[in-house]
Amino acid sequence: MRLILQDRSALSTGHRQKVKLILVLVLFWFVIIGVRLLELQVLEHKKLKAEVLEQSQDLITVLPTRGTIFDRNGKILARSLPAASVFFSPVKGDSLEQQVQSIHRLKNLLDLKEQEIRKILNSIEKRKRFTWIKRKISLELAEKIRSLKLPGVYLLEENRRFYPHGQLAAHVLGGVNVDDFGLAGVEYYYNSLLRGEEGQQLIMKDARKREFFIETIKETKPGQDLYLTLDSTIQYIAEKELQRAVEKHQANWGTIIISLPQTGEILAMASYPSYDPNNFPPPENVMPNRAIQHTYEPGSTVKMVTAAAARELGQIDWNTHYDCSQGYLVFGGTMVRDHVRLGVLSFSQVFIQSSNVGTIKIAERIGPENIFQMFRAFRFGEKTGIDLPGEEAGIFHPLEKWRKSSLRVAIGYEISVTPIQMLQTLNVFATGGYLIRPRVRLEKPSPLTGTITAALEPPAGSQLILRPETVRGLVDLVLQPAVEVGTGREACLPGYLMAGKTGTAQKYDPELRTYSNKKHVASFAGFVPARQPLISMVVVIDEPRGQFHYGGQVAAPVFREVARKVLLYLNQAPQKLPENLILAKKETSIGGVTD
Amino acid sequence: MSMVRKKFSWKQLALGAGLAVLFLGNLTFYIWYQSESVRLGYRIHELEMKVEKLQEEIKRLETRKEALLSLERIDRVARNELQLQDPKPDQVIFEKQVVK
């Protein structure tokens, strides 16, 4: 509606003044508004904008959830779950007494020790703005603390790493620190893959501080899941048998590694003593993964490499015989002994009976160059490249540094190896001559990855270092008889064809500056079945102090027990029937009666 | 001062009223849309939190199940509570055993 002023002059003076006054007031009001607007929009713009943003928006860093670690069958070995951390940040105006009181109220609830309380109170007294009270507590406990509404006590959402199987595969898994950063094992080796990437979110809040809109500024990249080649059941069997053996023989430590020889996949890697990764870090003495980090002189287990050198490079005939009747041999200024006088032995018998004298005679015949060349082909003195941190390379001197006594390499002295190197060596014989890198990560997990079968073809990247006919001969005529009638008889499992080699090495005593007669490393390396092996295994027991110390007495029985249980688990029937086995015959009559 | 009312035609009035209704309708729709967006924002956020919580709960329960099914525990229960033993070698019969 439009109003038309008909007659300006018709307005009285009084009216005109009133209108002017109103106009002035309106103008004045506009000026005040304008000044205030100028103040808010221009002069205090930055400060006010920041305040508004602080009140209505939150830019938060979103921590990624660390990836889960599974075994080859999809069993959870490590997983991160939500937890809460409690921290203290003083409230303005609160006295020191009030702050201390808040901490004391949490003492019992959080099971804080005196030392922890002192540390927190020290920090408060120093007027620090932020002090951790307890990290990674359960959500239930966090809720209890929240309900107390203690001034200055706050909760922060975090993740906590859980290892539901406790000690199982502890040395392979390793562990993480309080900030979920991998410090050992696959947790360390694959940390960047497991950890993921942090993200950022902008949270919009209303006047009541309720979140009503979340905008993702940077997408959080959760950590990738990791599938291991380990089979938790086989790992458990290995750990239990190892613990039993170490305790029975009062040994320092022991280790067992089991693999699928054709692929290099590690099925179990046990070290004892062990630790619980839920309480990481453990004491230093149990921390090392001895399967890859401990080097030792292997003794007779490497005689299989000497035998390979003799057949492959030395052209030694199977029928050549060696006089070992004296039982000892002075060689390069040192005396080499056999455990008993063994008489005249054929080439095969030298290794089956594990004669040091016979092996040295064979090594002398084929020469140090050939021995060196063969040991070098097996990559002694080099890391296997297993995907675990801290692997040792062992010691294998270059040929230029060899003395005459260095030929004792042929019987497993003057060389130091890791158990994983011995497994890689053993797998060359189990696979028909291929050197295959061992690994613990399953490359392509699928619903069928858990299936354990004897693979027919070695993986790409493996290297053929022995002729298949050489390997076949050594397995049939040396390694198999070594278990059936040789020093490895205790490893023999009725019904199965097995191949392997025992090892007993005297340990060097730095105080006596000579090899000790009391300290030994007992080992056994073998695979089963001897043809198309399903599993290969290395057992090492350090310093057995009981009645026995030979590899054939200490390590071979462990191999047998582990193999028996693992084959049972894999539903691997015996290849030949044990003589004392009575078979039930199943007959069905018309009446359905069965015997 | 005297004022006269300008006369509007029915057409103009109808148009004006239509525009006013349209404007008010738009305004109402806009306000409704905004408030509904905010309300749905709350609801979505609430549900997202719930989904996240449930997923976390599933993960927690899966992990708990794994811990309860750990071989160490089963072994202990089997031996100590159920008095079970390892089978002797001659007590094991393989289904697929090939007898020659």
Side-chain angles (χ1 to χ4, degrees), chain A residues 365-588:
Chain A
R365 192 159 162 200
I366 57 180
E369 289 80 11
N370 282 337
I371 292 287
F372 177 83
Q373 193 184 329
M374 185 53 73
F375 274 75
R376 182 53 86 202
F378 274 85
R379 305 273 167 82
F380 285 105
E382 291 176 33
K383 293 176 183 179
T384 62
I386 189 169
D387 43 350
L388 284 171
E391 186 192 1
E392 287 289 333
I395 300 168
F396 181 58
H397 296 297
L399 192 59
E400 312 83 82
K401 288 191 178 174
W402 276 32
R403 298 166 294 177
K404 193 173 181 217
S405 66
S406 297
L407 206 57
R408 293 195 308 156
V409 160
I411 57 169
Y413 288 92
E414 298 208 21
I415 178 174
S416 82
V417 302
T418 57
I420 194 71
Q421 283 175 330
M422 275 318 301
L423 183 86
Q424 185 177 249
T425 300
L426 175 72
N427 283 349
V428 173
F429 295 90
T431 58
Y434 286 92
L435 190 82
I436 299 163
R437 183 177 71 86
R439 58 196 169 91
V440 295
R441 185 187 177 188
L442 207 55
E443 300 292 344
K444 291 170 189 163
S446 74
L448 293 173
T449 48
T451 317
I452 296 171
T453 50
L456 296 174
E457 292 297 321
S462 54
Q463 189 190 351
L464 188 70
I465 61 167
L466 286 180
R467 284 180 297 152
E469 52 269 31
T470 304
V471 174
R472 207 171 302 127
L474 288 169
V475 171
D476 290 350
L477 301 172
V478 175
L479 298 179
Q480 205 176 309
V483 175
E484 287 168 357
V485 294
T487 52
R489 285 187 302 276
E490 283 294 318
C492 195
L493 200 56
Y496 295 93
L497 294 174
M498 308 172 96
K501 185 74 194 81
T502 55
T504 311
Q506 288 175 284
K507 287 181 80 174
Y508 186 79
D509 191 330
E511 285 178 13
L512 300 172
R513 292 190 171 186
T514 185
Y515 284 91
S516 167
N517 285 324
K518 291 177 182 171
K519 295 176 180 176
H520 299 86
V521 178
S523 59
F524 186 87
F527 49 86
V528 61
R531 290 201 179 148
Q532 282 200 359
L534 191 61
I535 56 164
S536 57
M537 189 190 326
V538 168
V539 180
V540 181
I541 309 285
D542 183 66
E543 283 192 36
R545 292 187 184 87
Q547 195 184 347
F548 306 113
H549 66 267
Y550 285 112
Q553 297 166 318
V554 175
V558 181
F559 176 92
R560 182 192 61 225
E561 284 312 301
V562 174
R564 189 171 66 78
K565 290 179 178 174
V566 170
L567 292 170
L568 195 62
Y569 164 67
L570 296 175
N571 203 18
Q572 188 74 14
Q575 293 148 306
K576 55 182 183 182
L577 291 174
E579 284 163 12
N580 59 351
L581 185 73
I582 303 161
L583 276 178
K585 199 175 175 187
K586 190 178 174 185
E587 288 176 3
T588 310

Side-chain angles (χ1 to χ4, degrees), chain A residues 322-327 338 341-345 350 355 357-358 361:
Chain A
Y322 301 88
D323 183 8
C324 307
S325 53
Q326 213 173 351
D338 280 337
R341 290 186 181 191
L342 292 163
V344 177
L345 302 174
V350 165
S355 166
V357 174
K361 285 185 175 182

Side-chain angles (χ1 to χ4, degrees), chain A residues 50 52-63 156 198-205 211 213-219:
Chain A
V52 167
L53 289 178
E54 197 187 321
Q55 284 168 13
S56 64
Q57 296 181 2
D58 261 347
L59 186 66
I60 59 159
T61 301
V62 185
L63 291 174
L156 186 74
E198 288 177 354
Q200 273 192 327
Q201 281 184 343
L202 186 69
I203 299 180
M204 312 289 279
K205 291 189 276 188
E211 297 168 3
F213 184 71
I214 297 175
E215 189 185 344
T216 303
I217 309 280
K218 188 187 167 196
E219 200 74 52

Side-chain angles (χ1 to χ4, degrees), chain A residues 1-7 10-11 65 68 74-76 79-82 139-140 157 162 164-165 206 210-214 232-233 236 240 244 496 564-565 567-568 571-578 581 583-584, chain B residues 1-6 8 37-38 40-42 45 48-49 52-53 56 58-64 66-73 75-76 79 86-100:
Chain A
M1 193 164 57
R2 216 171 95 202
L3 295 175
I4 301 166
L5 205 59
Q6 289 288 330
D7 188 0
L11 284 171
T65 307
T68 303
K75 284 192 177 178
I76 300 164
R79 174 170 269 179
S80 290
L81 293 175
L139 295 180
E140 292 79 19
E157 273 187 31
F162 283 97
H165 296 276
D206 63 11
R210 289 181 306 174
E211 297 168 3
F212 70 91
F213 184 71
I214 297 175
S232 49
T233 304
Y236 179 74
K240 279 288 139 190
R244 199 170 295 158
Y496 295 93
R564 189 171 66 78
K565 290 179 178 174
L567 292 170
L568 195 62
N571 203 18
Q572 188 74 14
Q575 293 148 306
K576 55 182 183 182
L577 291 174
L581 185 73
L583 276 178
Chain B
M1 189 175 70
S2 70
M3 289 187 288
V4 291
R5 188 183 292 271
K6 191 191 173 187
F8 293 99
S37 297
V38 171
L40 284 174
Y42 288 132
H45 180 65
E48 273 174 353
M49 294 294 282
E52 203 176 301
K53 281 251 165 356
E56 280 168 3
I58 289 168
K59 279 171 80 176
R60 199 183 65 77
L61 289 171
E62 274 178 357
T63 315
R64 174 94 183 113
E66 203 71 62
L68 288 170
L69 288 175
S70 80
L71 294 168
E72 175 83 47
R73 187 176 170 277
D75 201 344
R76 197 174 55 243
R79 286 178 201 283
D86 285 324
K88 289 176 183 138
D90 58 354
Q91 290 177 310
V92 178
I93 296 168
F94 290 89
E95 281 180 329
K96 292 176 184 171
Q97 181 143 18
V98 180
V99 183
K100 288 175 184 172

Side-chain angles (χ1 to χ4, degrees), chain A residues 146-179:
Chain A
R146 193 173 282 124
S147 65
L148 290 176
K149 292 181 180 167
L150 294 172
V153 175
Y154 301 96
L155 290 152
L156 186 74
E157 273 187 31
E158 288 195 291
N159 284 316
R160 187 180 166 184
R161 202 74 168 151
F162 283 97
Y163 300 87
H165 296 276
Q167 291 200 355
L168 192 84
H171 289 98
V172 177
L173 295 171
V176 296
N177 66 7
V178 77
D179 292 317

Side-chain angles (χ1 to χ4, degrees), chain A residues 288-346:
Chain A
N289 182 355
R290 301 187 196 271
I292 60 164
Q293 291 177 317
H294 188 90
T295 59
Y296 66 105
E297 287 182 302
S300 300
T301 42
V302 292
K303 283 177 186 166
M304 58 177 96
V305 181
T306 309
R311 291 290 302 152
E312 190 92 348
L313 306 170
Q315 307 292 319
I316 304 275
D317 192 76
W318 292 108
N319 294 320
T320 317
H321 283 70
Y322 301 88
D323 183 8
C324 307
S325 53
Q326 213 173 351
Y328 69 91
L329 177 78
V330 179
F331 162 77
T334 56
M335 187 176 282
V336 174
R337 290 176 188 276
D338 280 337
H339 51 287
V340 284
R341 290 186 181 191
L342 292 163
V344 177
L345 302 174
S346 71

